[in-house]
Short mmCIF file of all heavy atoms in Angstrom, two decimals:
data_model
loop_
_atom_site.label_atom_id
_atom_site.label_comp_id
_atom_site.label_asym_id
_atom_site.label_seq_id
_atom_site.Cartn_x
_atom_site.Cartn_y
_atom_site.Cartn_z
N ARG A 1 71.75 133.36 130.10
CA ARG A 1 70.73 132.43 129.70
C ARG A 1 70.99 131.10 130.38
O ARG A 1 72.08 130.50 130.25
CB ARG A 1 70.69 132.13 128.20
CG ARG A 1 70.49 133.52 127.50
CD ARG A 1 69.39 133.26 126.38
NE ARG A 1 69.23 134.48 125.56
CZ ARG A 1 68.29 135.30 125.78
NH1 ARG A 1 67.38 135.02 126.73
NH2 ARG A 1 68.06 136.33 125.01
N PRO A 2 70.05 130.62 131.17
CA PRO A 2 68.86 131.21 131.58
C PRO A 2 69.00 132.47 132.42
O PRO A 2 70.03 132.58 133.13
CB PRO A 2 68.08 130.10 132.31
CG PRO A 2 69.18 129.25 132.90
CD PRO A 2 70.32 129.33 131.98
N ALA A 3 67.97 133.33 132.53
CA ALA A 3 68.11 134.56 133.25
C ALA A 3 68.10 134.32 134.70
O ALA A 3 68.82 135.03 135.45
CB ALA A 3 66.91 135.50 132.90
N VAL A 4 67.30 133.37 135.17
CA VAL A 4 67.36 133.02 136.62
C VAL A 4 67.56 131.57 136.80
O VAL A 4 67.28 130.76 135.85
CB VAL A 4 66.01 133.43 137.30
CG1 VAL A 4 65.91 134.88 137.24
CG2 VAL A 4 64.80 132.73 136.76
N ILE A 5 68.00 131.14 137.97
CA ILE A 5 68.18 129.75 138.30
C ILE A 5 67.50 129.46 139.56
O ILE A 5 67.85 129.89 140.66
CB ILE A 5 69.66 129.39 138.35
CG1 ILE A 5 70.37 129.70 137.13
CG2 ILE A 5 69.82 127.90 138.79
CD1 ILE A 5 71.93 129.68 137.27
N PRO A 6 66.34 128.73 139.51
CA PRO A 6 65.58 128.37 140.76
C PRO A 6 66.28 127.26 141.45
O PRO A 6 66.87 126.34 140.72
CB PRO A 6 64.20 127.94 140.34
CG PRO A 6 64.26 127.80 138.86
CD PRO A 6 65.57 128.30 138.34
N ARG A 7 66.35 127.26 142.80
CA ARG A 7 67.00 126.09 143.47
C ARG A 7 66.31 125.89 144.89
O ARG A 7 65.87 126.87 145.48
CB ARG A 7 68.49 126.33 143.70
CG ARG A 7 68.89 127.45 144.61
CD ARG A 7 70.41 127.60 144.65
NE ARG A 7 70.79 128.58 145.56
CZ ARG A 7 71.28 128.21 146.88
NH1 ARG A 7 71.32 127.01 147.25
NH2 ARG A 7 71.67 129.17 147.65
N GLY A 8 66.20 124.70 145.19
CA GLY A 8 65.71 124.36 146.53
C GLY A 8 66.71 124.62 147.61
O GLY A 8 67.90 124.37 147.45
N ILE A 9 66.31 125.27 148.72
CA ILE A 9 67.21 125.56 149.82
C ILE A 9 66.97 124.65 150.99
O ILE A 9 67.84 123.82 151.43
CB ILE A 9 67.06 127.02 150.24
CG1 ILE A 9 67.47 127.91 149.09
CG2 ILE A 9 68.06 127.32 151.36
CD1 ILE A 9 67.20 129.40 149.32
N TRP A 10 65.80 124.67 151.48
CA TRP A 10 65.27 123.82 152.54
C TRP A 10 64.10 123.06 152.07
O TRP A 10 62.96 123.57 152.24
CB TRP A 10 64.90 124.57 153.84
CG TRP A 10 65.99 125.33 154.45
CD1 TRP A 10 67.41 125.18 154.26
CD2 TRP A 10 65.89 126.38 155.43
NE1 TRP A 10 68.09 126.11 155.03
CE2 TRP A 10 67.17 126.86 155.74
CE3 TRP A 10 64.83 127.04 156.00
CZ2 TRP A 10 67.36 127.90 156.67
CZ3 TRP A 10 65.01 127.95 156.94
CH2 TRP A 10 66.30 128.42 157.26
N PRO A 11 64.23 121.87 151.48
CA PRO A 11 63.05 121.16 150.89
C PRO A 11 62.08 120.71 151.89
O PRO A 11 60.95 120.41 151.45
CB PRO A 11 63.71 119.99 150.06
CG PRO A 11 65.09 119.83 150.76
CD PRO A 11 65.51 121.20 151.32
N ASN A 12 62.42 120.64 153.17
CA ASN A 12 61.44 120.08 154.17
C ASN A 12 61.12 121.07 155.25
O ASN A 12 60.65 120.69 156.31
CB ASN A 12 61.99 118.78 154.71
CG ASN A 12 62.18 117.73 153.68
OD1 ASN A 12 61.40 117.48 152.84
ND2 ASN A 12 63.39 117.14 153.65
N THR A 13 61.55 122.30 155.13
CA THR A 13 61.24 123.32 156.16
C THR A 13 60.64 124.53 155.42
O THR A 13 61.32 125.15 154.63
CB THR A 13 62.61 123.73 156.92
OG1 THR A 13 63.13 122.50 157.41
CG2 THR A 13 62.25 124.70 158.02
N GLY A 14 59.43 124.82 155.78
CA GLY A 14 58.72 126.01 155.18
C GLY A 14 58.15 126.85 156.29
O GLY A 14 58.46 126.69 157.44
N PHE A 15 57.28 127.77 155.77
CA PHE A 15 56.67 128.76 156.71
C PHE A 15 55.20 128.85 156.49
O PHE A 15 54.80 128.79 155.38
CB PHE A 15 57.45 130.10 156.52
CG PHE A 15 58.85 129.98 156.76
CD1 PHE A 15 59.76 129.71 155.67
CD2 PHE A 15 59.40 130.00 157.96
CE1 PHE A 15 61.11 129.54 155.88
CE2 PHE A 15 60.77 129.79 158.25
CZ PHE A 15 61.63 129.59 157.15
N PRO A 16 54.40 129.11 157.47
CA PRO A 16 52.95 129.23 157.31
C PRO A 16 52.46 130.48 156.52
O PRO A 16 51.35 130.47 156.02
CB PRO A 16 52.43 129.19 158.72
CG PRO A 16 53.53 129.74 159.53
CD PRO A 16 54.73 129.30 158.91
N SER A 17 53.30 131.49 156.54
CA SER A 17 52.95 132.73 155.83
C SER A 17 54.24 133.55 155.57
O SER A 17 55.33 133.30 156.10
CB SER A 17 52.00 133.61 156.62
OG SER A 17 52.67 134.18 157.68
N ALA A 18 54.08 134.50 154.61
CA ALA A 18 55.23 135.34 154.35
C ALA A 18 55.56 136.25 155.53
O ALA A 18 56.71 136.72 155.63
CB ALA A 18 54.88 136.21 153.10
N ASN A 19 54.59 136.53 156.42
CA ASN A 19 54.86 137.29 157.68
C ASN A 19 55.75 136.60 158.64
O ASN A 19 56.23 137.13 159.53
CB ASN A 19 53.53 137.63 158.35
CG ASN A 19 52.81 138.76 157.61
OD1 ASN A 19 53.42 139.61 157.00
ND2 ASN A 19 51.47 138.69 157.71
N ALA A 20 55.97 135.24 158.47
CA ALA A 20 56.73 134.54 159.39
C ALA A 20 58.21 134.46 159.06
O ALA A 20 58.99 133.64 159.56
CB ALA A 20 56.24 133.05 159.46
N VAL A 21 58.59 135.41 158.20
CA VAL A 21 60.05 135.39 157.65
C VAL A 21 60.49 136.80 157.59
O VAL A 21 59.75 137.72 157.20
CB VAL A 21 60.12 134.69 156.25
CG1 VAL A 21 61.55 134.81 155.71
CG2 VAL A 21 59.68 133.29 156.41
N CYS A 22 61.73 137.10 157.80
CA CYS A 22 62.42 138.36 157.58
C CYS A 22 63.89 138.17 157.28
O CYS A 22 64.40 137.15 157.56
CB CYS A 22 62.22 139.38 158.80
SG CYS A 22 63.35 139.00 160.17
N LEU A 23 64.45 139.20 156.66
CA LEU A 23 65.86 139.21 156.44
C LEU A 23 66.53 140.20 157.47
O LEU A 23 66.04 141.33 157.62
CB LEU A 23 66.26 139.74 155.04
CG LEU A 23 66.22 138.70 153.90
CD1 LEU A 23 66.51 139.36 152.64
CD2 LEU A 23 67.13 137.55 154.19
N ALA A 24 67.57 139.70 158.14
CA ALA A 24 68.30 140.60 159.04
C ALA A 24 69.69 140.68 158.37
O ALA A 24 70.43 139.74 158.44
CB ALA A 24 68.42 140.01 160.40
N GLU A 25 69.99 141.83 157.81
CA GLU A 25 71.10 142.01 156.91
C GLU A 25 70.93 140.96 155.76
O GLU A 25 69.93 141.10 155.05
CB GLU A 25 72.47 141.81 157.63
CG GLU A 25 72.62 142.68 158.83
CD GLU A 25 72.41 144.18 158.52
OE1 GLU A 25 72.84 144.61 157.48
OE2 GLU A 25 71.90 144.84 159.47
N SER A 26 71.79 139.99 155.62
CA SER A 26 71.49 139.02 154.58
C SER A 26 71.17 137.63 155.14
O SER A 26 71.15 136.58 154.41
CB SER A 26 72.68 138.94 153.68
OG SER A 26 73.82 138.50 154.41
N VAL A 27 70.82 137.53 156.44
CA VAL A 27 70.49 136.27 157.10
C VAL A 27 69.02 136.13 157.19
O VAL A 27 68.35 137.10 157.69
CB VAL A 27 71.17 136.16 158.46
CG1 VAL A 27 70.73 134.89 159.17
CG2 VAL A 27 72.63 136.31 158.31
N LEU A 28 68.41 135.13 156.79
CA LEU A 28 67.01 134.83 156.88
C LEU A 28 66.65 134.22 158.20
O LEU A 28 67.29 133.36 158.67
CB LEU A 28 66.58 133.78 155.79
CG LEU A 28 65.08 133.51 155.78
CD1 LEU A 28 64.46 134.21 154.59
CD2 LEU A 28 64.87 132.00 155.68
N TYR A 29 65.62 134.89 158.87
CA TYR A 29 65.09 134.35 160.14
C TYR A 29 63.60 134.10 159.90
O TYR A 29 62.91 134.84 159.13
CB TYR A 29 65.25 135.38 161.23
CG TYR A 29 66.59 135.58 161.75
CD1 TYR A 29 67.55 136.42 161.07
CD2 TYR A 29 67.01 134.92 162.89
CE1 TYR A 29 68.86 136.47 161.61
CE2 TYR A 29 68.31 135.02 163.41
CZ TYR A 29 69.24 135.86 162.73
OH TYR A 29 70.50 136.01 163.22
N GLY A 30 63.15 133.02 160.52
CA GLY A 30 61.69 132.70 160.30
C GLY A 30 61.20 131.80 161.48
O GLY A 30 61.91 131.43 162.42
N PHE A 31 59.86 131.55 161.38
CA PHE A 31 59.18 130.72 162.37
C PHE A 31 58.52 129.61 161.63
O PHE A 31 57.61 129.72 160.83
CB PHE A 31 58.19 131.48 163.14
CG PHE A 31 57.61 130.74 164.36
CD1 PHE A 31 58.33 130.72 165.50
CD2 PHE A 31 56.47 129.96 164.19
CE1 PHE A 31 57.80 130.03 166.67
CE2 PHE A 31 55.94 129.29 165.28
CZ PHE A 31 56.62 129.27 166.48
N ASN A 32 59.02 128.29 161.98
CA ASN A 32 58.49 127.13 161.38
C ASN A 32 57.58 126.47 162.43
O ASN A 32 57.92 126.35 163.54
CB ASN A 32 59.65 126.21 160.93
CG ASN A 32 59.21 124.86 160.42
OD1 ASN A 32 59.02 123.90 161.34
ND2 ASN A 32 58.93 124.70 159.12
N GLY A 33 56.43 125.90 162.02
CA GLY A 33 55.49 125.22 162.87
C GLY A 33 56.08 124.10 163.69
O GLY A 33 55.66 123.87 164.83
N LYS A 34 57.00 123.39 163.16
CA LYS A 34 57.58 122.15 163.81
C LYS A 34 58.91 122.49 164.56
O LYS A 34 59.17 121.92 165.55
CB LYS A 34 57.75 121.09 162.85
CG LYS A 34 56.49 120.51 162.25
CD LYS A 34 56.80 119.41 161.24
CE LYS A 34 55.44 119.01 160.62
NZ LYS A 34 55.64 118.39 159.39
N ARG A 35 59.61 123.46 164.03
CA ARG A 35 60.94 123.72 164.58
C ARG A 35 61.00 124.95 165.38
O ARG A 35 62.00 125.30 166.05
CB ARG A 35 61.93 123.79 163.41
CG ARG A 35 61.97 122.52 162.66
CD ARG A 35 62.99 122.63 161.53
NE ARG A 35 64.30 122.55 162.11
CZ ARG A 35 65.29 121.93 161.56
NH1 ARG A 35 65.09 121.41 160.34
NH2 ARG A 35 66.53 121.95 162.13
N GLY A 36 60.03 125.88 165.33
CA GLY A 36 60.01 127.15 165.99
C GLY A 36 60.95 128.17 165.21
O GLY A 36 60.94 128.14 164.04
N PRO A 37 61.69 128.96 165.97
CA PRO A 37 62.61 129.89 165.25
C PRO A 37 63.67 129.18 164.50
O PRO A 37 64.34 128.27 165.03
CB PRO A 37 63.22 130.75 166.40
CG PRO A 37 62.46 130.47 167.58
CD PRO A 37 61.80 129.15 167.36
N VAL A 38 63.90 129.60 163.24
CA VAL A 38 64.94 128.99 162.40
C VAL A 38 65.73 130.03 161.67
O VAL A 38 65.28 131.15 161.43
CB VAL A 38 64.36 127.96 161.35
CG1 VAL A 38 63.79 126.78 162.07
CG2 VAL A 38 63.35 128.65 160.47
N ARG A 39 66.93 129.70 161.33
CA ARG A 39 67.87 130.51 160.50
C ARG A 39 68.76 129.54 159.86
O ARG A 39 68.99 128.41 160.30
CB ARG A 39 68.52 131.57 161.32
CG ARG A 39 69.51 130.95 162.32
CD ARG A 39 70.20 131.95 163.17
NE ARG A 39 71.15 131.31 164.10
CZ ARG A 39 71.69 131.85 165.09
NH1 ARG A 39 71.54 133.14 165.30
NH2 ARG A 39 72.53 131.20 165.89
N PRO A 40 69.57 129.95 158.84
CA PRO A 40 70.57 129.02 158.18
C PRO A 40 71.77 128.95 159.14
O PRO A 40 72.04 129.85 159.90
CB PRO A 40 70.93 129.81 156.92
CG PRO A 40 70.08 130.97 156.79
CD PRO A 40 69.31 131.19 158.06
N GLN A 41 72.47 127.84 159.04
CA GLN A 41 73.61 127.60 159.79
C GLN A 41 74.56 126.64 159.05
O GLN A 41 74.07 125.74 158.39
CB GLN A 41 73.32 127.12 161.22
CG GLN A 41 74.57 127.09 162.09
CD GLN A 41 74.21 126.81 163.57
OE1 GLN A 41 73.26 127.45 164.06
NE2 GLN A 41 74.84 125.90 164.20
N GLY A 42 75.81 126.85 159.23
CA GLY A 42 76.76 125.96 158.50
C GLY A 42 76.53 125.94 157.00
O GLY A 42 76.65 126.94 156.39
N GLY A 43 76.21 124.79 156.44
CA GLY A 43 76.02 124.69 155.01
C GLY A 43 74.61 125.18 154.61
O GLY A 43 74.04 124.55 153.72
N ASN A 44 74.09 126.17 155.28
CA ASN A 44 72.83 126.71 155.01
C ASN A 44 71.67 125.83 155.38
O ASN A 44 70.49 126.05 155.03
CB ASN A 44 72.66 127.23 153.56
CG ASN A 44 73.31 128.49 153.32
OD1 ASN A 44 73.49 129.24 154.17
ND2 ASN A 44 73.69 128.71 152.06
N ASP A 45 71.92 124.80 156.12
CA ASP A 45 70.75 123.99 156.66
C ASP A 45 70.06 124.70 157.74
O ASP A 45 70.65 125.62 158.47
CB ASP A 45 71.26 122.72 157.28
CG ASP A 45 71.98 121.77 156.33
OD1 ASP A 45 71.48 121.82 155.14
OD2 ASP A 45 72.84 120.98 156.60
N PRO A 46 68.81 124.49 157.88
CA PRO A 46 67.95 125.14 158.89
C PRO A 46 68.40 124.83 160.33
O PRO A 46 68.60 123.67 160.62
CB PRO A 46 66.53 124.77 158.68
CG PRO A 46 66.59 123.43 157.95
CD PRO A 46 67.88 123.46 157.20
N ALA A 47 68.68 125.82 161.17
CA ALA A 47 69.10 125.62 162.50
C ALA A 47 68.11 126.26 163.45
O ALA A 47 67.61 127.30 163.27
CB ALA A 47 70.50 126.17 162.72
N SER A 48 67.75 125.58 164.50
CA SER A 48 66.77 126.07 165.55
C SER A 48 67.37 126.04 166.87
O SER A 48 66.68 126.40 167.77
CB SER A 48 65.49 125.20 165.38
OG SER A 48 65.72 123.89 165.63
#
C-alpha cells in the first residue's frame, strides 16, 4: 500500500506517439521531436 508508485522519469522529454517508443531488452529507445533518437544513459537522463 499504495499498490503502485507513479514517478516522473524525464519531465521535459516526451514522444509524439506510442509508436515512437520501444523496449530493447529493458532499455527504452524512442524518437523525440527536438532531440531525435533518445535512450537512458547514466542516471537515466535522456541521451541523444
Side-chain angles (χ1 to χ4, degrees):
R1 298 227 184 261
V4 297
I5 302 167
R7 67 181 186 101
I9 298 173
W10 297 343
N12 301 312
T13 303
F15 303 95
S17 76
N19 285 329
V21 176
C22 77
L23 275 179
E25 306 306 325
S26 59
V27 179
L28 183 103
Y29 286 83
F31 188 85
N32 173 270
K34 295 178 182 159
R35 301 178 75 139
V38 293
R39 67 180 180 190
Q41 187 168 314
N44 281 334
D45 291 332
S48 55

